[in-house]
Amino acid sequence: MSQNSAATFYDAVESASETVLLGNEDVLERLSVALLTDGHVLLEGVPGVAKTTIANVFARATGLESNRIQMTPDILPADITGTTIYRMQTGEFERREGPVFSNLVIADEINRATPKTQSALLEAMQEGSVSLDGETLALPSPFMVVATQNPIEMEGTFELPEAQRDRFQQKLIVDLPTEDVEHALLTRFDDDPQLSPSEVEQSVSEAELEAARNAVADTYVADRVKQYIIDIVHATRADDEIEFGASPRASLALLRASKARAAIHDREYVIPDDIKALAPAVFRHRLLLSTDAELSGRSTDDVIDTLLESISPPENVQPEASTPTT
């Protein structure tokens, strides 16, 4: 199985997504990283920056069966996981699976749901299964949650608990477009006002997705790179600007995500640049800043950038050439 199958996979997804998306290449790459490593993603951005559209386009391009859940304060856990109902006509119980039974679940405005409902996703995200009436049911594979949230409207919202934030491999910030990108966006939708994610065609097969996932699993990580990850994670736990540092789950998330990024960029091994590129997305929702850092106006990303600059990356991280046998 060729190592560049992950690169081929991403090129196809990116090409198909360009039909609708403009200026969101980094977000698309990070979503691909998560999909190839069984990760979940939290998308944050102000209203109107196409968070849900990005998730829908990604689902269409990858051919994943998707369900969108509009999270509201009155939605119940059973509305997500499903329930069992009694049919009087047959005298039997019928199981109705909820929208979580899908390859890609889009939890729109997740912070508008109550903590009890938010927690209904915990088992699904961590275990790949849910419990209905005492029975454990496996979810489809692959399984991925893409949740969106709006950072500026706090009224009527419920902040995600730390345990659930930690279940997300990455938190991605969807920024406002640049002037050039927005001009191109206006032109495209002026030419085709009905353009939508439904215009995006599936670009990869199930076999190609599986090949890409296998390529990621085979990506080499030198011991020096693993130590580099450990150095960064432990630095978050010792930094005076950080009240609570990254967990071991964050270490594993950074390792797996870095392997996927390397494979997407057509490399057979992870380099320090992979770690640096993904560290903000993996850490920003996991770190709790100290009061002094917050009063100084420091953002989590500022602290992460400073921390990365303070740690020297390793060299000679390529796999050693195998010695030919005689």
Side-chain angles (χ1 to χ4, degrees):
M1 188 170 297
S2 62
Q3 181 68 27
N4 71 352
S5 55
T8 302
F9 165 87
Y10 177 67
D11 288 345
V13 171
E14 183 182 35
S15 179
S17 301
E18 286 176 350
T19 307
V20 175
L21 294 183
L22 284 172
N24 290 294
E25 292 80 9
D26 285 347
V27 176
L28 196 65
E29 180 186 287
R30 303 299 192 266
L31 287 173
S32 299
V33 164
L35 174 61
L36 297 177
T37 53
D38 295 314
H40 309 288
V41 173
L42 181 62
L43 293 180
E44 184 174 279
V46 299
V49 291
K51 299 184 296 295
T52 305
T53 298
I54 292 171
N56 281 322
V57 166
F58 182 71
R60 296 277 302 183
T62 54
L64 297 177
E65 179 187 354
S66 65
N67 281 325
R68 175 178 173 269
I69 308 171
Q70 182 63 54
M71 305 294 264
T72 57
D74 60 347
I75 194 170
L76 300 173
D79 296 326
I80 295 175
T81 59
T83 188
T84 301
I85 60 175
Y86 179 71
R87 292 290 187 187
M88 294 184 62
Q89 299 90 333
T90 62
E92 296 178 348
F93 286 94
E94 177 184 313
R95 185 173 66 219
R96 283 193 173 180
E97 296 178 346
V100 75
F101 286 87
S102 183
N103 295 121
L104 192 149
V105 177
I106 304 171
D108 212 2
E109 296 186 283
I110 189 172
N111 54 338
R112 292 201 176 278
T114 62
K116 183 176 182 179
T117 300
Q118 291 172 4
S119 66
L121 287 173
L122 286 177
E123 181 186 2
M125 294 171 65
Q126 182 65 22
E127 305 295 339
S129 63
V130 297
S131 297
L132 283 180
D133 294 331
E135 183 180 0
T136 300
L137 305 174
L139 294 171
S141 180
F143 173 73
M144 179 179 178
V145 172
V146 177
T148 72
Q149 66 178 16
N150 173 5
I152 61 174
E153 291 184 11
M154 294 295 105
E155 185 176 352
T157 64
F158 303 87
E159 185 177 2
L160 291 176
E162 292 180 14
Q164 185 160 341
R165 290 202 306 268
D166 200 40
R167 294 298 198 279
F168 287 97
Q169 183 191 80
Q170 303 172 59
K171 177 183 176 181
L172 307 179
I173 307 300
V174 184
D175 292 318
L176 291 167
T178 63
E179 186 175 337
D180 290 342
V181 169
E182 195 155 8
H183 186 278
L185 190 68
L186 291 178
T187 301
R188 178 174 295 185
F189 279 86
D190 186 38
D191 294 338
D192 186 359
Q194 304 303 317
L195 191 62
S196 70
S198 62
E199 302 292 323
V200 177
E201 296 183 357
Q202 180 177 347
S203 61
V204 292
S205 66
E206 184 177 342
E208 288 169 331
L209 171 57
E210 188 62 26
R213 288 162 65 90
N214 290 336
V216 169
D218 292 339
T219 301
Y220 175 78
V221 186
D223 285 340
R224 293 185 183 91
V225 174
K226 293 176 184 176
Q227 186 60 51
Y228 183 49
I229 293 174
I230 293 171
D231 290 343
I232 294 172
V233 169
H234 279 255
T236 68
R237 302 170 188 171
D239 196 302
D240 291 338
E241 292 189 295
I242 301 174
E243 190 73 23
F244 295 104
S247 67
R249 183 183 282 121
S251 305
L252 292 170
L254 186 53
L255 172 68
R256 292 166 180 160
S258 298
K259 292 175 68 172
R261 186 179 186 273
I264 282 175
H265 286 265
D266 202 10
R267 271 184 280 104
E268 297 182 357
Y269 56 92
V270 174
I271 62 175
D273 283 351
D274 295 320
I275 309 297
K276 292 179 181 178
L278 290 165
V282 173
F283 290 153
R284 63 167 57 103
H285 57 299
R286 292 181 161 99
L287 305 183
L288 182 62
L289 298 188
S290 66
T291 303
D292 289 343
E294 291 181 342
L295 291 175
S296 300
R298 297 272 282 170
S299 69
T300 306
D301 281 13
D302 292 336
V303 173
I304 293 171
D305 289 343
T306 300
L307 188 147
L308 290 173
E309 291 174 0
S310 69
I311 301 174
S312 299
E315 299 179 354
N316 301 322
V317 298
Q318 301 94 326
E320 295 181 5
S322 60
T323 303
T325 58
T326 58

